[in-house]
Amino acid sequence: MADVPAPTPQNTDGIWILLIVSFIFFAWVSNGGPSKFEERQGATRLADGGTSVIRSTSERETTARTSPSSPVTQTSSSDLARSPYAGKVVISSKGSAASAIQVNQENITIRNNTRSESISITGWTVKNGRENKLFPTSSSTLQVRYQSDRVAIPTGARILTGTQANFLTPVVLGPREQAYLVTGKMPNQSPYAVPVSFKLNKCIGYLEALPPYNFSPRASANCPAPSKEPELASLEQSCYNYVRRLSACHTPVFEVRDGIDYVDKTTGLSGYCKSYVKKRFSYSGCLAQHVADNDFTGTSWYIYLNYPQQLWDMNREHISLYDAQGRLVDELSY
C-alpha cells in the first residue's frame, strides 16, 4: 500500500484561505447581507433619479438639493399642542406685515375675543414661517432653509410717563381689547421717551401730533378738548379766546420774533396765560390733569418687540402665536 504524502505548506495555506472565505460568506448571509445590498442599490437609484435632502449640523439652516415645489416641512411637538386660549385670542389682522419695510412700522394685531375674561400675554411668542420656505444661494443646485424667527411679547406700562422711568407689568388684554405687535421699537425719544410697550390713553394724541413721532398704526387723536377744561371760564379774555380756538392734541409753539413773544402766531398773551398754556396743553400736562379719569386708558396696547430685523415676509407668510407654555394659540397665513 502506497504511503499518503504528508501535507505540504502550500496545501495547508489553501485550506486556511478556503475556511476564512467560507466563514466570511456565512457571516454576511446571516446578517442580512443580500437585503442590505439591495437597499443600498435602491437608495443609490433614488438619489440619482429623485430628490436628496441634506441637513446641515447648523442650528440656523438646513440645506437641500431640491426644488421650491417640494419643501421639507419641519414640525415641532409644541406646534401640535393646542392652547386653552385658542379661539379666545386671535391674530385679527396682518396689519402692515405684508407692506412695511421699516421694523418700527411693521405690525400685526392680536385680539382678546372673549366677553368677560382678561388674559395676560406677556411671555407669549410669535413665529414666522421661514422654516417652511426655501431660499436660493449662489449655487444653482443648492437652496437654503432658515430657522424660523420666534420673538417673545415683553412687559409693558399701563401708563406711559413719557420718561425713561415707567412701571412695568405683564400685558393683560381685557375683554375685546387688542394689541399691536410692532416688530421694532419707537426710534424717537424726544421730547418724550417711549422706551417701553404701553397701553393707549387719551393723551397719546399729543405725541402722535408731534413731528418726530410716527406710531404704526396711527395712534388715536381723541385728546380732551381744551375748550372743555373746567378752569377755562376763569381765564382772562384774551387767554380765554386763545384756548377756545386751540385744537385738541395740539402742543402750542412758543417763539420770539423781533423781540415779540408768539404762541402759535398769537401775541399779547399775559405771562400767566402763557405759563398756563405751556403747563396744561402737552402730553405731560394732559397726563397730570387726566390720568385719574375713569376713561383715561383705551382698549389697545402698543407692544414693541424690539427685534432688529423684519419678521414678516411680503407674501407666502405663516404667522403663529403661542402661549407662555409654547402651545399654539392661533395662526394666520397670507
Side-chain angles (χ1 to χ4, degrees):
M1 182 175 182
D3 294 334
V4 178
T8 65
Q10 290 81 2
N11 291 338
T12 303
D13 291 343
I15 293 172
W16 278 109
I17 291 172
L18 181 61
L19 289 174
I20 291 172
V21 170
S22 299
F23 176 79
I24 292 174
F25 175 77
F26 285 115
W28 179 65
V29 171
S30 62
N31 284 313
S35 61
K36 289 183 178 180
F37 177 76
E38 291 177 359
E39 289 175 1
R40 286 173 184 158
Q41 290 295 97
T44 301
R45 287 192 295 272
L46 177 62
D48 291 339
T51 299
S52 63
V53 177
I54 304 172
R55 297 185 183 276
S56 72
T57 56
S58 168
E59 292 182 357
R60 290 293 303 165
E61 63 187 41
T62 300
T63 305
R65 294 183 183 272
T66 182
S67 64
S69 60
S70 57
V72 179
T73 303
Q74 299 174 345
T75 304
S76 66
S77 58
S78 62
D79 291 345
L80 302 176
R82 202 71 177 175
S83 170
Y85 298 107
K88 296 181 178 181
V89 178
V90 299
I91 304 171
S92 58
S93 171
K94 69 177 185 295
S96 64
S99 58
I101 297 176
Q102 296 178 318
V103 292
N104 65 305
Q105 297 295 303
E106 185 181 68
N107 66 81
I108 62 172
T109 306
I110 65 174
R111 175 182 169 87
N112 178 354
N113 261 354
T114 69
R115 295 183 180 275
S116 59
E117 185 177 354
S118 294
I119 300 173
S120 174
I121 60 171
T122 289
W124 290 25
T125 57
V126 288
K127 187 182 79 170
N128 59 28
R130 205 151 291 170
E131 65 186 12
N132 296 321
K133 290 189 288 187
L134 295 168
F135 299 87
T137 66
S138 57
S139 170
S140 60
T141 59
L142 288 178
Q143 292 182 319
V144 66
R145 189 194 308 280
Y146 292 101
Q147 190 178 58
S148 289
D149 300 288
R150 195 162 184 159
V151 185
I153 296 175
T155 55
R158 191 171 181 274
I159 306 296
L160 180 69
T161 64
T163 70
Q164 293 293 334
N166 290 273
F167 181 68
L168 300 180
T169 64
V171 175
V172 177
L173 293 183
R176 303 298 185 181
E177 291 189 345
Q178 62 186 359
Y180 306 119
L181 306 187
V182 183
T183 300
K185 61 182 179 180
M186 171 57 71
N188 301 306
Q189 301 293 325
S190 178
Y192 297 99
V194 187
V196 296
S197 302
F198 64 91
K199 193 171 190 181
L200 193 67
N201 64 60
K202 67 196 302 183
C203 297
I204 288 293
Y206 276 101
L207 297 186
E208 178 68 75
L210 292 174
Y213 298 91
N214 188 9
F215 292 98
S216 179
R218 289 185 62 85
S220 169
N222 295 324
C223 302
S227 60
K228 294 183 179 180
E229 292 295 349
E231 67 277 7
L232 182 64
S234 64
L235 297 175
E236 60 192 75
Q237 189 63 44
S238 60
C239 194
Y240 172 84
N241 292 339
Y242 169 78
V243 173
R244 278 186 58 85
R245 297 193 305 268
L246 199 58
S247 300
C249 301
H250 172 66
T251 302
V253 177
F254 292 78
E255 57 183 345
V256 178
R257 297 199 306 268
D258 299 326
I260 301 175
D261 290 337
Y262 289 85
V263 182
D264 289 336
K265 301 180 180 180
T266 298
T267 62
L269 298 179
S270 68
Y272 173 83
C273 181
K274 287 185 286 187
S275 177
Y276 165 77
V277 168
K278 180 177 289 188
K279 181 179 179 180
R280 179 56 57 84
F281 302 112
S282 63
Y283 179 72
S284 57
C286 178
L287 193 67
Q289 183 69 15
H290 295 282
V291 69
D293 293 356
N294 292 331
D295 62 346
F296 180 72
T297 55
T299 59
S300 300
W301 282 82
Y302 280 77
I303 306 298
Y304 292 100
L305 301 177
N306 291 314
Y307 201 63
Q309 63 190 39
Q310 284 183 278
L311 269 176
W312 318 116
D313 289 337
M314 292 186 176
N315 53 49
R316 297 187 302 134
E317 184 59 270
H318 186 80
I319 304 172
S320 301
L321 174 67
Y322 300 90
D323 65 19
Q325 284 70 46
R327 298 166 298 189
L328 183 64
V329 177
D330 195 26
E331 49 194 342
L332 181 148
S333 295
Y334 62 86

